[in-house]
Every structure is written in structure tokens, then in C-alpha cells.
Amino acid sequence: MAKPEPGSVTAAQNWPQALLLVGCGNMAGAMLGRWLEYGLPPERVTVVRPSGRPVADGVTVMTTLPDVIAPDTLVLLGHKPQQLPDIAPPLEARLGAGATIFSILAGVSTTQLAAVIPQAGAHVRAMPNMPVRSGHGVVSLFVDPSVPAHVRDVADLLCRPLGLVAWLEDEALFDAATALAGCGPAYVYRFIDALAKAGEAVGLSAEIAAHMALATVEGAALTAAVSKDAPGALADAVASKGGMTREGLDVLDRADGLAPLIEATLRAARDRGAELARLAAGPGKA
């Protein structure tokens, strides 16, 4: 289904009546920036951040939680996971009826959220990645099957302007999804940098190599996004037998090449998610 243009009436018609961001770091800020650009009325948004720094025109910024959080507010938890044990009690005490917790805290399960913020009507777990700011991100989502369907619908509509919405049926897979899509952009940036440095090593200037590496990855990603062929088939289509591309692919395809390296990378990120969950649970609660 085609997305409406940013700022259009269609884009703006399904926004929550009240959106409270508890924390507004890089990720939460990227999400909010996209939503505002896409048509979210800024007067519906309140951001709680200790610094009190402005966020955007029309958005209310507070240094502490409001005394009362209006009924049916969607509360986005955008602080550090380790801060949850300190933030949850005062948040729980202020929640109005029907409030939904929308958490982007790495490693924090819906069970943990429900245990520390039971007053909320529903708990949605989400993990976006940084390209959500341009609408080309990925947002992994999970809600318990017992949660009313309209909560899932609201979360789905809220995340569609951000990019691909990936619903997970098993929350146990959340750390794996986060390792792939949430952490993945950083790994792609490292690959771009490595490609540029390799180009420099074989004789190109640093400036030309950097520009070529970025443009090459961008073009390849755009091509893969619109192609009916799998990325592996696209790679084989570029690589003729005995040619330059095939010679390079043979290096990447070694038993100790790219695939096991990326797998080890994702496993390390996934396992860190489990560690973050234990930290967020607090001493003796993991």
C-alpha cells in the first residue's frame, strides 16, 4: 500500500491524541522527527528530558514527568534500559486509564514492562533502527496476543511512516531481530568504510574511494530493493566466470570469510541484548 505524502491529511489522521516521550535520545529523536515531518501535530507531543533542551516548534518539553498523564496517552520509553527501575515507579503512579507503553528499550521484555508498569493498559515492544528518520528504517514490533487488536493497529499505523514494520510472533526472537535490523546499519556503515579503505589500499585516493564506496553500496541496495531476484542471485549475475568480481567473491565466500564473520557479529549483539535485559530487571530479578 502506498504511503501518503508527509504532512498530508491522510498521513495525519490516525495519530495518537497524546504522545509522551520519556527520554529523547538519538533513536527516539529520529522517530519523532520523522513523525513531525509526516504530519504529527506537535501540540500533541510532550517530551521529558532532564536537560530541558527544545525539540521542535510546538512540542512541549519538561524536565520531569507531568503530575498526571492523561488517559489514553501513548507513552514512548526512549531512555536508557538501565534507567527503567528508577523511572518506572513515578511513571506508574502518574498514568491515566488506558495509557499504552511503547518501549524502544533494548533487551527489556513486555513481561518486565508489565511487572514494573502494571497500570498501563497495554505494553508494546519496538526496536527501530536509525534510518527511520528518512522513512527507510525497520521497526520490529511485538505485543502479547492477549492485547486488544486496536492497540496493535495503533502501533502499526504509528510505525508505517518509519519504514518496514516487522511484527514478531515470538518475543524470544526480539534480540535476534534487534541484532540484525537495529544494529545492522552500524555494520553496513563499517562495511562502507572498509570498502573505501580497501579502495585506497589498491591505489585510489582517499576522497575518490570514499565517494565510490558510498555510491556503490547505495546503488546496490536500491537495486536489491526493487529486484525480484535474491541478493545472492544478483551477486552471481554480476560475477562472470573467471572474471574480476568472481575472484573477489571467492575471497568473501571462503569458509572463514564474510558469512561466519557476520554471524559472529549478530550473535554477539544478540547476546548483549540478553545482558541488557538482566541489567534492566535490577539486582536479583534477572
Side-chain angles (χ1 to χ4, degrees), residues 125 140 142 168-180 270:
R125 185 177 177 185
S140 300
F142 175 82
L168 302 178
E169 297 303 321
D170 184 355
E171 191 173 9
L173 295 174
F174 217 93
D175 287 336
T178 301
L180 174 58
R270 181 202 61 186

Side-chain angles (χ1 to χ4, degrees), residues 48-62:
V48 179
R49 61 190 326 187
S51 69
R53 292 195 308 274
V55 173
D57 291 343
V59 172
T60 299
V61 176
M62 306 178 69

Side-chain angles (χ1 to χ4, degrees), residues 159-254:
C159 292
R160 287 194 177 278
L162 305 177
L164 174 68
V165 178
W167 283 98
L168 302 178
E169 297 303 321
D170 184 355
E171 191 173 9
L173 295 174
F174 217 93
D175 287 336
T178 301
L180 174 58
C183 308
Y187 308 147
V188 174
Y189 302 147
R190 276 285 191 265
F191 177 80
I192 295 171
D193 190 48
L195 193 60
K197 283 183 168 60
E200 187 178 355
V202 296
L204 298 173
S205 72
E207 182 178 8
I208 289 177
H211 288 313
M212 290 180 70
L214 181 59
T216 298
V217 172
E218 179 184 24
L222 290 172
T223 299
V226 300
S227 176
K228 296 180 180 179
D229 296 325
L234 293 175
D236 287 336
V238 176
S240 58
K241 185 176 180 179
M244 294 171 62
T245 306
R246 177 58 62 189
E247 194 74 12
L249 282 178
D250 287 346
V251 175
L252 293 179
D253 293 343
R254 290 173 181 166

Side-chain angles (χ1 to χ4, degrees), residues 66-80:
D67 292 336
V68 177
I69 298 172
D72 299 320
T73 296
L74 192 146
V75 181
L76 190 155
L77 302 183
H79 51 80
K80 294 179 180 179

Side-chain angles (χ1 to χ4, degrees), residues 7 15 31-42 45 55-57 59:
W15 298 113
M31 297 169 74
L32 179 58
R34 174 61 177 172
W35 287 331
L36 292 170
E37 184 178 80
Y38 206 75
L40 171 63
V45 182
V55 173
D57 291 343
V59 172

